Amino acid sequence: MNLSFTVTQSELSDILLNISLTRPVFIWGAPGIGKSALVQQFADDVGMPCVSLLGSQLAPEDIIGIPQINGDTSQFVPPKMIARKEPYVLFLDELNACSQEVQKAFYSLIHEKRIGEYHLPEGSVVIGAGNRSQDGAIVKTMSTALVNRMFHVQLVADPQQWLNWAYENELHSWVIDYITQRPDNLFSEPPKTEEPYSTPRSWHMLSDALKAYGAGEKDVPEHILRVLAYGSVSANHAGMFLAFVKNLGNKNLLNQIIKGEARFPSDPKDRDVLYFISQSFRAKLLMELPDDKQKMDKNTQYLTHRAKALIKDLSHINLELAQMIVSSDDGKVLPEWFMIEIVRDLPRLIKNDK
């Protein structure tokens, strides 16, 4: 499912606080984006325990329980994990990965907060979550009856909110500093092949690995750092992260280049650093240049002036990287007015890019 509108982490927290108390909420989002962590945080915020069930590993009897004879009749006895006396948050993770039979078992639980004759304690909350079909995860088509029983939201990763969380949870400083400079690298769409890719969860995993090896506090062999980075996040981001680590002594190099206090590194041995700086420069332009030229302030006017000169300088060092800055190969496009000025002032660069 792809919804027309998306929500950030803080917006989802507000939705859960306002809606899930009366209606079940289903959270759509890519693997590793933070769905489970946000539901646990919500449960902590409202002071209720969180019980998680993994849809992909459930059978119908795990929900409805087993029949028990009671005198002349029988009744289904729900599992102890669900049949609680105090209100709680029931989190149905990977709900759209379970079979149709298991989905049917969820109908009354989601709609009426009931399993047979057992009713969830007053005040209990039911939240579902699942991945999208394009994520390459195990998903099954949800029945229209089940879809119609829930309020749906689609979660996206917000770099600044994730960084706030990363600071609070003391993630490794290299990861925090890198995402601060390259917030566009926090998340990448799942690849079609079996390989690591970047998500909030995978950056957290890299942080744990760096801490386990004591990186930053003691020297860690370069090949080990490569193993840690390439084993956690996408290959492209891993390469740039390693260039960032190598360049930690000059972590303000891009700002110094923009101010005219430094130049792009031109030594062939610094190609990985040059690539990282070039990617960071493109990301800065994408984030800071307005779509409407009339909305520029003094800072963006200065950035525009310097950008054209710096792209020209970079083209003399590495034409391919200069072309990469103004390209749209990744689906992200610089403002049209800026590209018109590039065509006018640097026609050779654009012509070679085509």
Side-chain angles (χ1 to χ4, degrees):
M1 178 181 288
N2 265 319
L3 302 178
S4 301
F5 298 94
T6 58
V7 297
T8 64
Q9 295 95 313
S10 62
E11 290 169 337
L12 176 59
S13 296
D14 287 340
I15 286 173
L16 293 178
L17 285 169
N18 286 281
I19 295 179
S20 68
L21 300 178
T22 55
R23 295 289 181 182
V25 174
F26 190 95
I27 307 166
W28 296 88
I33 205 169
K35 301 185 292 294
S36 303
L38 282 168
V39 173
Q40 181 62 61
Q41 183 60 54
F42 163 75
D44 294 340
D45 290 343
V46 296
M48 290 193 291
C50 182
V51 175
S52 296
L53 299 179
L54 203 58
S56 59
Q57 299 179 8
L58 293 176
E61 55 269 23
D62 295 325
I63 307 301
I64 61 176
I66 57 175
Q68 184 181 71
I69 297 175
N70 185 7
D72 296 331
T73 61
S74 65
Q75 66 182 43
F76 277 90
V77 180
K80 182 178 180 180
M81 180 179 290
I82 295 177
R84 296 178 171 230
K85 296 182 179 179
E86 300 296 327
Y88 65 97
V89 175
L90 178 58
F91 179 42
L92 308 175
D93 200 5
E94 297 185 7
L95 176 56
N96 59 336
C98 60
S99 68
Q100 292 290 329
E101 291 303 313
V102 174
Q103 288 186 27
K104 291 178 184 178
F106 279 127
Y107 284 4
S108 60
L109 178 60
I110 291 173
H111 188 55
E112 301 173 329
K113 296 183 181 179
R114 174 182 62 82
I115 302 174
E117 297 180 6
Y118 169 76
H119 289 261
L120 269 64
E122 185 71 25
S124 294
V125 172
V126 178
I127 300 173
N131 302 316
R132 307 162 302 173
S133 58
Q134 66 265 38
D135 295 325
I138 299 174
V139 295
K140 294 181 173 64
T141 301
M142 290 178 64
S143 69
T144 54
L146 188 56
V147 169
N148 196 238
R149 280 171 161 79
M150 292 176 287
F151 177 86
H152 298 265
V153 292
Q154 183 167 315
L155 178 65
V156 293
D158 181 272
Q160 188 54 58
Q161 292 181 23
W162 185 84
L163 283 170
N164 292 340
W165 172 87
Y167 277 112
E168 291 175 4
N169 288 272
E170 299 181 345
L171 266 64
H172 197 283
S173 60
W174 290 358
V175 171
I176 291 176
D177 291 344
Y178 178 78
I179 297 299
T180 298
Q181 289 200 30
R182 294 305 308 270
D184 56 313
N185 285 185
L186 177 61
F187 176 79
S188 61
E189 290 294 333
K192 295 181 180 180
T193 55
E194 297 174 342
E195 59 187 90
Y197 63 100
S198 301
T199 66
R201 178 167 59 199
S202 63
W203 284 109
H204 190 184
M205 183 164 55
L206 176 56
S207 169
D208 288 345
L210 292 169
K211 285 187 172 183
Y213 273 87
E217 299 176 3
K218 64 180 182 181
D219 291 334
V220 177
E222 183 177 349
H223 75 279
I224 292 296
L225 291 179
R226 293 181 67 83
V227 170
L228 300 184
Y230 280 89
S232 301
V233 299
S234 68
N236 184 37
H237 296 168
M240 288 190 287
F241 175 79
L242 292 172
F244 167 79
V245 171
K246 180 179 178 181
N247 194 48
L248 278 175
N250 296 305
K251 62 181 180 180
N252 294 318
L253 182 57
L254 177 58
N255 288 332
Q256 293 171 347
I257 291 173
I258 293 173
K259 292 177 182 179
E261 299 171 354
R263 300 179 66 85
F264 284 114
S266 56
D267 193 315
K269 69 179 182 180
D270 292 327
R271 176 175 170 78
D272 53 351
V273 176
L274 179 63
Y275 182 77
F276 172 74
I277 293 295
S278 301
Q279 284 276 13
S280 299
F281 189 31
R282 170 174 167 76
K284 185 177 182 68
L285 295 178
L286 285 167
M287 285 190 298
E288 298 188 15
L289 294 185
D291 291 333
D292 186 350
K293 186 177 181 180
Q294 303 303 318
K295 294 182 179 180
M296 285 200 299
D297 56 21
K298 290 183 178 180
N299 291 332
T300 48
Q301 287 176 357
Y302 177 77
L303 177 60
T304 300
H305 171 73
R306 289 292 297 151
K308 289 184 288 186
L310 291 172
I311 292 173
K312 184 177 181 180
D313 290 346
L314 181 59
S315 68
H316 294 305
I317 300 173
N318 190 306
L319 180 61
E320 180 184 356
L321 290 180
Q323 292 171 340
M324 177 272 297
I325 289 178
V326 299
S327 74
S328 58
D329 292 345
D330 58 359
K332 300 175 183 177
V333 183
L334 291 168
E336 183 178 0
W337 60 265
F338 180 77
M339 292 303 299
I340 291 174
E341 293 187 12
I342 290 292
V343 171
R344 183 191 65 203
D345 298 342
L346 302 169
R348 170 176 166 271
L349 184 66
I350 302 301
K351 180 164 46 174
N352 278 277
D353 187 44
K354 291 182 179 179

mmCIF file of all heavy atoms in Angstrom, residues 14-43:
data_model
loop_
_atom_site.group_PDB
_atom_site.id
_atom_site.type_symbol
_atom_site.label_atom_id
_atom_site.label_comp_id
_atom_site.label_asym_id
_atom_site.label_seq_id
_atom_site.Cartn_x
_atom_site.Cartn_y
_atom_site.Cartn_z
ATOM 1 N N ASP A 14 2.057 11.431 17.756
ATOM 2 C CA ASP A 14 0.833 12.195 18.040
ATOM 3 C C ASP A 14 -0.404 11.427 17.585
ATOM 4 O O ASP A 14 -1.433 11.418 18.270
ATOM 5 C CB ASP A 14 0.883 13.555 17.342
ATOM 6 C CG ASP A 14 1.863 14.514 17.997
ATOM 7 O OD1 ASP A 14 2.206 14.279 19.178
ATOM 8 O OD2 ASP A 14 2.286 15.482 17.348
ATOM 9 N N ILE A 15 -0.317 10.796 16.411
ATOM 10 C CA ILE A 15 -1.455 10.028 15.895
ATOM 11 C C ILE A 15 -1.780 8.866 16.826
ATOM 12 O O ILE A 15 -2.946 8.595 17.126
ATOM 13 C CB ILE A 15 -1.150 9.527 14.462
ATOM 14 C CG1 ILE A 15 -1.227 10.700 13.472
ATOM 15 C CG2 ILE A 15 -2.114 8.417 14.050
ATOM 16 C CD1 ILE A 15 -0.782 10.359 12.078
ATOM 17 N N LEU A 16 -0.746 8.166 17.283
ATOM 18 C CA LEU A 16 -0.984 7.047 18.194
ATOM 19 C C LEU A 16 -1.625 7.529 19.494
ATOM 20 O O LEU A 16 -2.541 6.885 20.023
ATOM 21 C CB LEU A 16 0.325 6.319 18.493
ATOM 22 C CG LEU A 16 0.959 5.569 17.310
ATOM 23 C CD1 LEU A 16 2.272 4.924 17.740
ATOM 24 C CD2 LEU A 16 0.012 4.517 16.754
ATOM 25 N N LEU A 17 -1.177 8.659 19.997
ATOM 26 C CA LEU A 17 -1.726 9.187 21.253
ATOM 27 C C LEU A 17 -3.174 9.628 21.103
ATOM 28 O O LEU A 17 -3.967 9.539 22.049
ATOM 29 C CB LEU A 17 -0.880 10.363 21.747
ATOM 30 C CG LEU A 17 0.469 10.010 22.376
ATOM 31 C CD1 LEU A 17 1.309 11.262 22.582
ATOM 32 C CD2 LEU A 17 0.265 9.283 23.702
ATOM 33 N N ASN A 18 -3.552 10.087 19.910
ATOM 34 C CA ASN A 18 -4.894 10.637 19.710
ATOM 35 C C ASN A 18 -5.879 9.649 19.091
ATOM 36 O O ASN A 18 -7.075 9.747 19.351
ATOM 37 C CB ASN A 18 -4.819 11.882 18.826
ATOM 38 C CG ASN A 18 -4.245 13.093 19.547
ATOM 39 O OD1 ASN A 18 -4.945 13.737 20.311
ATOM 40 N ND2 ASN A 18 -2.974 13.377 19.329
ATOM 41 N N ILE A 19 -5.410 8.728 18.281
ATOM 42 C CA ILE A 19 -6.327 7.868 17.533
ATOM 43 C C ILE A 19 -6.350 6.433 18.038
ATOM 44 O O ILE A 19 -7.411 5.816 18.145
ATOM 45 C CB ILE A 19 -5.989 7.901 16.024
ATOM 46 C CG1 ILE A 19 -6.226 9.312 15.470
ATOM 47 C CG2 ILE A 19 -6.823 6.878 15.253
ATOM 48 C CD1 ILE A 19 -5.898 9.463 14.004
ATOM 49 N N SER A 20 -5.166 5.891 18.386
ATOM 50 C CA SER A 20 -5.116 4.466 18.708
ATOM 51 C C SER A 20 -5.889 4.103 19.973
ATOM 52 O O SER A 20 -6.196 2.924 20.183
ATOM 53 C CB SER A 20 -3.655 4.014 18.853
ATOM 54 O OG SER A 20 -3.055 4.603 19.995
ATOM 55 N N LEU A 21 -6.200 5.078 20.796
ATOM 56 C CA LEU A 21 -6.960 4.792 22.011
ATOM 57 C C LEU A 21 -8.408 4.433 21.692
ATOM 58 O O LEU A 21 -9.095 3.799 22.500
ATOM 59 C CB LEU A 21 -6.904 5.994 22.961
ATOM 60 C CG LEU A 21 -5.499 6.398 23.432
ATOM 61 C CD1 LEU A 21 -5.568 7.626 24.322
ATOM 62 C CD2 LEU A 21 -4.830 5.243 24.174
ATOM 63 N N THR A 22 -8.877 4.856 20.504
ATOM 64 C CA THR A 22 -10.255 4.548 20.129
ATOM 65 C C THR A 22 -10.356 3.685 18.873
ATOM 66 O O THR A 22 -11.344 2.975 18.686
ATOM 67 C CB THR A 22 -11.051 5.849 19.885
ATOM 68 O OG1 THR A 22 -10.376 6.643 18.902
ATOM 69 C CG2 THR A 22 -11.169 6.650 21.170
ATOM 70 N N ARG A 23 -9.345 3.755 17.997
ATOM 71 C CA ARG A 23 -9.360 2.984 16.764
ATOM 72 C C ARG A 23 -8.008 2.313 16.535
ATOM 73 O O ARG A 23 -6.963 2.918 16.808
ATOM 74 C CB ARG A 23 -9.657 3.883 15.561
ATOM 75 C CG ARG A 23 -11.049 4.511 15.563
ATOM 76 C CD ARG A 23 -12.113 3.455 15.299
ATOM 77 N NE ARG A 23 -13.454 4.059 15.265
ATOM 78 C CZ ARG A 23 -14.566 3.370 15.090
ATOM 79 N NH1 ARG A 23 -14.499 2.062 14.938
ATOM 80 N NH2 ARG A 23 -15.731 3.989 15.069
ATOM 81 N N PRO A 24 -7.999 1.065 16.045
ATOM 82 C CA PRO A 24 -6.712 0.424 15.759
ATOM 83 C C PRO A 24 -6.007 1.135 14.610
ATOM 84 O O PRO A 24 -6.635 1.561 13.640
ATOM 85 C CB PRO A 24 -7.103 -1.004 15.373
ATOM 86 C CG PRO A 24 -8.533 -0.903 14.933
ATOM 87 C CD PRO A 24 -9.135 0.191 15.762
ATOM 88 N N VAL A 25 -4.686 1.276 14.722
ATOM 89 C CA VAL A 25 -3.871 1.969 13.718
ATOM 90 C C VAL A 25 -2.939 0.969 13.055
ATOM 91 O O VAL A 25 -2.348 0.111 13.736
ATOM 92 C CB VAL A 25 -3.054 3.107 14.368
ATOM 93 C CG1 VAL A 25 -2.095 3.735 13.353
ATOM 94 C CG2 VAL A 25 -3.983 4.172 14.938
ATOM 95 N N PHE A 26 -2.819 1.059 11.735
ATOM 96 C CA PHE A 26 -1.860 0.221 11.005
ATOM 97 C C PHE A 26 -0.766 1.119 10.442
ATOM 98 O O PHE A 26 -1.049 2.081 9.720
ATOM 99 C CB PHE A 26 -2.538 -0.547 9.868
ATOM 100 C CG PHE A 26 -1.652 -1.604 9.254
ATOM 101 C CD1 PHE A 26 -1.719 -2.915 9.685
ATOM 102 C CD2 PHE A 26 -0.721 -1.282 8.272
ATOM 103 C CE1 PHE A 26 -0.893 -3.895 9.143
ATOM 104 C CE2 PHE A 26 0.103 -2.245 7.722
ATOM 105 C CZ PHE A 26 0.024 -3.563 8.159
ATOM 106 N N ILE A 27 0.489 0.774 10.741
ATOM 107 C CA ILE A 27 1.638 1.568 10.320
ATOM 108 C C ILE A 27 2.329 0.884 9.148
ATOM 109 O O ILE A 27 2.828 -0.237 9.274
ATOM 110 C CB ILE A 27 2.654 1.746 11.471
ATOM 111 C CG1 ILE A 27 1.962 2.293 12.723
ATOM 112 C CG2 ILE A 27 3.797 2.667 11.043
ATOM 113 C CD1 ILE A 27 2.812 2.179 13.981
ATOM 114 N N TRP A 28 2.359 1.543 8.004
ATOM 115 C CA TRP A 28 3.076 1.048 6.836
ATOM 116 C C TRP A 28 4.453 1.693 6.785
ATOM 117 O O TRP A 28 4.614 2.857 7.141
ATOM 118 C CB TRP A 28 2.316 1.390 5.551
ATOM 119 C CG TRP A 28 0.975 0.738 5.424
ATOM 120 C CD1 TRP A 28 -0.213 1.214 5.880
ATOM 121 C CD2 TRP A 28 0.689 -0.521 4.806
ATOM 122 N NE1 TRP A 28 -1.222 0.344 5.594
ATOM 123 C CE2 TRP A 28 -0.702 -0.731 4.923
ATOM 124 C CE3 TRP A 28 1.465 -1.473 4.157
ATOM 125 C CZ2 TRP A 28 -1.333 -1.872 4.420
ATOM 126 C CZ3 TRP A 28 0.845 -2.607 3.646
ATOM 127 C CH2 TRP A 28 -0.540 -2.799 3.778
ATOM 128 N N GLY A 29 5.438 0.945 6.334
ATOM 129 C CA GLY A 29 6.773 1.526 6.210
ATOM 130 C C GLY A 29 7.794 0.470 5.836
ATOM 131 O O GLY A 29 7.575 -0.736 6.027
ATOM 132 N N ALA A 30 8.901 0.941 5.297
ATOM 133 C CA ALA A 30 9.967 0.035 4.868
ATOM 134 C C ALA A 30 10.607 -0.658 6.068
ATOM 135 O O ALA A 30 10.555 -0.148 7.198
ATOM 136 C CB ALA A 30 11.025 0.812 4.095
ATOM 137 N N PRO A 31 11.232 -1.815 5.875
ATOM 138 C CA PRO A 31 11.941 -2.487 6.970
ATOM 139 C C PRO A 31 13.039 -1.587 7.538
ATOM 140 O O PRO A 31 13.727 -0.887 6.793
ATOM 141 C CB PRO A 31 12.555 -3.721 6.285
ATOM 142 C CG PRO A 31 11.729 -3.955 5.066
ATOM 143 C CD PRO A 31 11.293 -2.592 4.615
ATOM 144 N N GLY A 32 13.178 -1.600 8.853
ATOM 145 C CA GLY A 32 14.263 -0.867 9.490
ATOM 146 C C GLY A 32 14.019 0.607 9.679
ATOM 147 O O GLY A 32 14.909 1.343 10.111
ATOM 148 N N ILE A 33 12.805 1.077 9.387
ATOM 149 C CA ILE A 33 12.545 2.512 9.460
ATOM 150 C C ILE A 33 12.201 2.968 10.872
ATOM 151 O O ILE A 33 12.189 4.152 11.178
ATOM 152 C CB ILE A 33 11.436 2.897 8.463
ATOM 153 C CG1 ILE A 33 11.571 4.368 8.060
ATOM 154 C CG2 ILE A 33 10.059 2.601 9.022
ATOM 155 C CD1 ILE A 33 10.699 4.750 6.887
ATOM 156 N N GLY A 34 11.885 2.005 11.765
ATOM 157 C CA GLY A 34 11.657 2.352 13.162
ATOM 158 C C GLY A 34 10.237 2.143 13.653
ATOM 159 O O GLY A 34 9.860 2.699 14.690
ATOM 160 N N LYS A 35 9.445 1.330 12.964
ATOM 161 C CA LYS A 35 8.044 1.131 13.363
ATOM 162 C C LYS A 35 7.943 0.512 14.761
ATOM 163 O O LYS A 35 7.215 1.004 15.627
ATOM 164 C CB LYS A 35 7.326 0.246 12.330
ATOM 165 C CG LYS A 35 7.332 0.806 10.911
ATOM 166 C CD LYS A 35 6.516 -0.052 9.955
ATOM 167 C CE LYS A 35 7.116 -1.411 9.695
ATOM 168 N NZ LYS A 35 8.414 -1.343 8.971
ATOM 169 N N SER A 36 8.677 -0.567 14.965
ATOM 170 C CA SER A 36 8.594 -1.288 16.249
ATOM 171 C C SER A 36 9.060 -0.416 17.409
ATOM 172 O O SER A 36 8.437 -0.405 18.480
ATOM 173 C CB SER A 36 9.432 -2.565 16.189
ATOM 174 O OG SER A 36 9.016 -3.397 15.131
ATOM 175 N N ALA A 37 10.157 0.314 17.189
ATOM 176 C CA ALA A 37 10.700 1.158 18.257
ATOM 177 C C ALA A 37 9.706 2.258 18.642
ATOM 178 O O ALA A 37 9.567 2.597 19.830
ATOM 179 C CB ALA A 37 12.021 1.779 17.811
ATOM 180 N N LEU A 38 8.997 2.809 17.655
ATOM 181 C CA LEU A 38 8.039 3.873 17.947
ATOM 182 C C LEU A 38 6.830 3.351 18.717
ATOM 183 O O LEU A 38 6.294 4.036 19.588
ATOM 184 C CB LEU A 38 7.595 4.542 16.649
ATOM 185 C CG LEU A 38 8.605 5.525 16.058
ATOM 186 C CD1 LEU A 38 8.209 5.924 14.637
ATOM 187 C CD2 LEU A 38 8.711 6.767 16.928
ATOM 188 N N VAL A 39 6.400 2.136 18.385
ATOM 189 C CA VAL A 39 5.281 1.550 19.125
ATOM 190 C C VAL A 39 5.695 1.274 20.571
ATOM 191 O O VAL A 39 4.938 1.537 21.510
ATOM 192 C CB VAL A 39 4.800 0.251 18.442
ATOM 193 C CG1 VAL A 39 3.753 -0.452 19.315
ATOM 194 C CG2 VAL A 39 4.205 0.565 17.073
ATOM 195 N N GLN A 40 6.905 0.762 20.780
ATOM 196 C CA GLN A 40 7.399 0.529 22.138
ATOM 197 C C GLN A 40 7.505 1.836 22.901
ATOM 198 O O GLN A 40 7.142 1.903 24.087
ATOM 199 C CB GLN A 40 8.762 -0.162 22.085
ATOM 200 C CG GLN A 40 9.351 -0.479 23.458
ATOM 201 C CD GLN A 40 8.496 -1.430 24.261
ATOM 202 O OE1 GLN A 40 8.254 -2.559 23.844
ATOM 203 N NE2 GLN A 40 8.032 -0.979 25.436
ATOM 204 N N GLN A 41 7.969 2.893 22.228
ATOM 205 C CA GLN A 41 8.071 4.196 22.871
ATOM 206 C C GLN A 41 6.692 4.719 23.253
ATOM 207 O O GLN A 41 6.505 5.300 24.332
ATOM 208 C CB GLN A 41 8.771 5.190 21.943
ATOM 209 C CG GLN A 41 8.998 6.576 22.547
ATOM 210 C CD GLN A 41 9.852 6.532 23.793
ATOM 211 O OE1 GLN A 41 10.952 5.988 23.764
ATOM 212 N NE2 GLN A 41 9.354 7.078 24.895
ATOM 213 N N PHE A 42 5.709 4.516 22.366
ATOM 214 C CA PHE A 42 4.338 4.929 22.660
ATOM 215 C C PHE A 42 3.825 4.204 23.900
ATOM 216 O O PHE A 42 3.214 4.821 24.790
ATOM 217 C CB PHE A 42 3.432 4.635 21.461
ATOM 218 C CG PHE A 42 1.964 4.641 21.778
ATOM 219 C CD1 PHE A 42 1.291 5.841 21.993
ATOM 220 C CD2 PHE A 42 1.259 3.444 21.892
ATOM 221 C CE1 PHE A 42 -0.065 5.841 22.303
ATOM 222 C CE2 PHE A 42 -0.088 3.442 22.202
ATOM 223 C CZ PHE A 42 -0.762 4.646 22.408
ATOM 224 N N ALA A 43 4.061 2.886 23.975
ATOM 225 C CA ALA A 43 3.615 2.116 25.137
ATOM 226 C C ALA A 43 4.261 2.643 26.417
ATOM 227 O O ALA A 43 3.599 2.764 27.454
ATOM 228 C CB ALA A 43 3.949 0.636 24.936
#
